[in-house]
Amino acid sequence: MVLARILTPAQVGVFSLCAAFVAVAGIFRDFGISEYLIQEKQLTRDKMRAAFSLALIIAWTIAILVFALRNIIADYYAETGVAEVLSALSLNFLILPFSSPAFALLNRELAFRKIFVVHISSNATHAATSISLAFMGYGYMSLAWASVASTLTIAVIVSFMRPRDSFLSPGLKDVKSVLAYGSMFFSSRVIETFSRNSHEFIIAKQFGFEQVGLFSRALGLLELFYTNFTSAVVRVTTPVFANDHRGGADLPARYAASTAMLAVIAWPFFGYVALMASEIIAVLFGHQWAASAPIASVLALTMMPGYLTTMGPSLLAATGHVKQRLKLTLWYAPVHIISVLIASHWGLIAVAWAFGLSSLVALVVYLNLLPRLLNCKMGQLLKGSSKSAGVAAACITVQFVTREICHAYQLNALLSLLIVGLLAAISWLLAARLMNHIIYFEISRLIILNVGKKDI
């Protein structure tokens, strides 16, 4: 919110393009090593040493490549700032190997309190650094140096919080087992990440950096939900699915309950953004970003179907089905890239709608494969999701009616957001109760537990 009022769309566009390149390179860097450490049933010290060694070799190689190619990429987009940003971001790859394996072990041990401390510290460092440097006039470089500061913070804190006996010297014994898992996971993640960021490269070349900035602002608004909520859920479910798989628990039931609770929160949120995008953009980011509001509305609608299979990739990784994950990625990733490329001839709104096509294709392929892998019926995986749809429909209807009333009385953006949001929350809770949705009983259970703690 602060940076949106300091940096211009073009400055955000330069960093966003570089971040897309680094995101793809980041998948090479991790090589599925973190997920391997989380899901491996027989995790020995030799396997841990091999994982650390592989992480170090790959990450440092990528750091050299990113730094070496920075001017070539900058020349292609005719923007010298691209080279500056990539120079700074390449430092992340030198730092990350010293924290990522240990961080994966914290996830394996379900040490979520420690993970919380790491993320809060990292995010606070990123915010403080980026805002301070932006005020000092560093422009897009404020975001680049903030990323480096954040990565360094993670490395320092994890070095103190790492699990016992996890500080090991490098070694390549048992590296084959890491490579076998990592190669499949890495391949699927590279394709997924490239397809997810392909719009950055296409829009930058087709329309320029200001349009990249506007599209990134719209997508970034939606990704606030993923960053602050969905990623937290996925971060928990991956080790939990792996733990259930090792213990022989009922994975279809776990997936169904998790999906129903995730969808019942996600769908009303995306409905809220689709209806109130103009007001949200104006209040959070300022009027210089107004052109991104229609894009955000379309993107919000296209993201809804995907929340039935958001945890599909995590489930496949946690159960060792990385080859199947790669096959699924090879189905929907080309559809996304080609549809975005074609849609770019009609403008940014068309590109936003193209996201919906790939989302539907991913939904179909996941719902076709998961029941077969888990030896269950599709209905078992989606049990409870129909109630989620009912709760979401009721909540979004209330949002729409309330928004129209606010517009009729010409209320300002902030007041409209507050009124619509308040009535949306009330209607959501009432609908969840009336439909006996699992989320209502989970909320009740948490309240009871917290009251009991206070009494004690």
Side-chain angles (χ1 to χ4, degrees):
M1 291 169 62
V2 176
L3 290 173
R5 287 164 170 79
I6 305 174
L7 303 179
T8 66
Q11 288 173 326
V12 173
V14 170
F15 176 79
S16 184
L17 175 71
C18 296
F21 275 108
V22 170
V24 175
I27 303 305
F28 285 84
R29 189 272 309 168
D30 186 68
F31 200 73
I33 293 170
S34 296
E35 282 69 18
Y36 168 80
L37 292 171
I38 291 172
Q39 63 83 46
E40 176 59 33
K41 289 185 176 182
Q42 303 295 329
L43 188 60
T44 63
R45 292 177 65 84
D46 285 334
K47 290 178 180 178
M48 291 167 61
R49 284 195 181 94
F52 173 63
S53 302
L54 203 57
L56 199 64
I57 294 168
I58 296 173
W60 285 14
T61 302
I62 291 172
I64 294 170
L65 288 174
V66 170
F67 187 79
L69 295 173
R70 69 194 189 286
N71 289 320
I72 297 174
I73 299 171
D75 290 342
Y76 179 76
Y77 287 101
E79 172 55 63
T80 56
V82 170
E84 297 176 50
V85 174
L86 288 176
S87 296
L89 293 181
S90 64
L91 295 174
N92 285 332
F93 295 103
L94 298 178
I95 302 168
L96 278 167
F98 296 102
S99 62
S100 56
F103 195 72
L105 294 174
L106 289 177
N107 277 275
R108 179 185 175 90
E109 296 181 358
L110 309 182
F112 298 121
R113 289 183 183 275
K114 292 181 179 180
I115 292 170
F116 169 79
V117 172
V118 172
H119 278 296
I120 287 292
S121 303
S122 170
N123 291 340
T125 300
H126 189 284
T129 305
S130 59
I131 292 172
S132 299
L133 293 179
F135 267 121
M136 294 167 63
Y138 279 78
Y140 44 70
M141 289 304 295
S142 60
L143 293 168
W145 289 121
S147 176
V148 176
S150 176
T151 302
L152 188 59
T153 300
I154 292 174
V156 171
I157 295 176
V158 169
S159 67
F160 289 102
M161 290 189 170
R162 64 174 61 245
R164 185 180 300 175
D165 299 328
S166 67
F167 192 82
L168 303 171
S169 59
L172 294 178
K173 186 179 180 181
D174 277 340
V175 73
K176 288 184 179 180
S177 62
V178 184
L179 287 171
Y181 180 93
S183 59
M184 289 295 176
F185 184 88
F186 149 80
S187 300
S188 62
R189 282 293 301 277
V190 166
I191 298 169
E192 288 169 1
T193 305
F194 180 76
S195 66
R196 190 166 58 247
N197 290 279
S198 59
H199 64 277
E200 305 275 3
F201 314 125
I202 295 169
I203 294 173
K205 195 65 178 174
Q206 193 93 326
F207 302 111
F209 285 100
E210 183 172 347
Q211 298 302 306
V212 175
L214 290 171
F215 196 94
S216 296
R217 175 60 62 209
L219 187 59
L221 175 62
L222 279 303
E223 288 183 341
L224 282 174
F225 182 81
Y226 186 89
T227 302
N228 294 302
F229 181 76
T230 308
S231 65
V233 175
V234 171
R235 189 175 296 279
V236 171
T237 54
T238 300
V240 168
F241 282 149
N243 190 58
D244 285 352
H245 179 59
R246 291 193 295 267
D250 188 348
L251 280 175
R254 173 80 77 179
Y255 182 92
S258 303
T259 298
M261 287 191 285
L262 182 61
V264 79
I265 297 172
W267 289 338
F269 170 82
F270 290 125
Y272 183 73
V273 174
L275 291 169
M276 307 297 294
S278 296
E279 289 84 352
I280 295 172
I281 294 291
V283 171
L284 294 185
F285 308 121
H287 293 289
Q288 68 169 329
W289 300 95
S292 64
I295 303 170
S297 293
V298 173
L299 287 172
L301 296 175
T302 65
M303 289 185 178
M304 287 185 176
Y307 269 79
L308 287 174
T309 55
T310 295
M311 288 177 289
S314 299
L315 182 62
L316 293 178
T319 55
H321 291 107
V322 285
K323 187 175 183 179
Q324 286 76 9
R325 177 172 174 167
L326 175 59
K327 289 180 179 179
L328 292 179
T329 305
L330 290 173
W331 269 99
Y332 65 80
V335 172
H336 179 75
I337 296 171
I338 293 170
S339 60
V340 167
L341 188 60
I342 294 172
S344 67
H345 291 87
W346 284 275
L348 298 185
I349 296 294
V351 172
W353 280 116
F355 275 61
L357 178 60
S358 56
S359 180
L360 289 174
V361 171
L363 176 66
V364 171
V365 295
Y366 267 103
L367 290 182
N368 180 56
L369 178 67
L370 289 178
R372 289 190 282 113
L373 290 180
L374 299 178
N375 194 27
C376 66
K377 296 181 179 179
M378 186 187 300
Q380 291 176 259
L381 296 178
L382 299 181
K383 185 179 180 181
S385 293
S386 58
K387 289 184 178 181
S388 298
V391 173
C395 182
I396 293 171
T397 300
V398 170
Q399 292 179 37
F400 174 77
V401 173
T402 308
R403 185 198 68 167
E404 293 303 302
I405 294 172
C406 290
H407 286 179
Y409 283 94
Q410 298 182 340
L411 301 181
N412 64 48
L414 179 58
L415 187 57
S416 296
L417 286 175
L418 292 174
I419 293 173
V420 174
L422 177 62
L423 292 180
I426 294 171
S427 64
W428 179 83
L429 192 60
L430 288 174
R433 177 65 186 91
L434 291 172
M435 295 185 186
N436 292 320
H437 195 283
I438 185 175
I439 194 72
Y440 180 83
F441 299 104
E442 287 294 322
I443 292 172
S444 300
R445 186 173 65 86
L446 287 173
I447 291 173
I448 293 169
L449 286 173
N450 286 328
V451 170
K453 288 179 180 178
K454 288 179 181 180
D455 290 342
I456 291 171

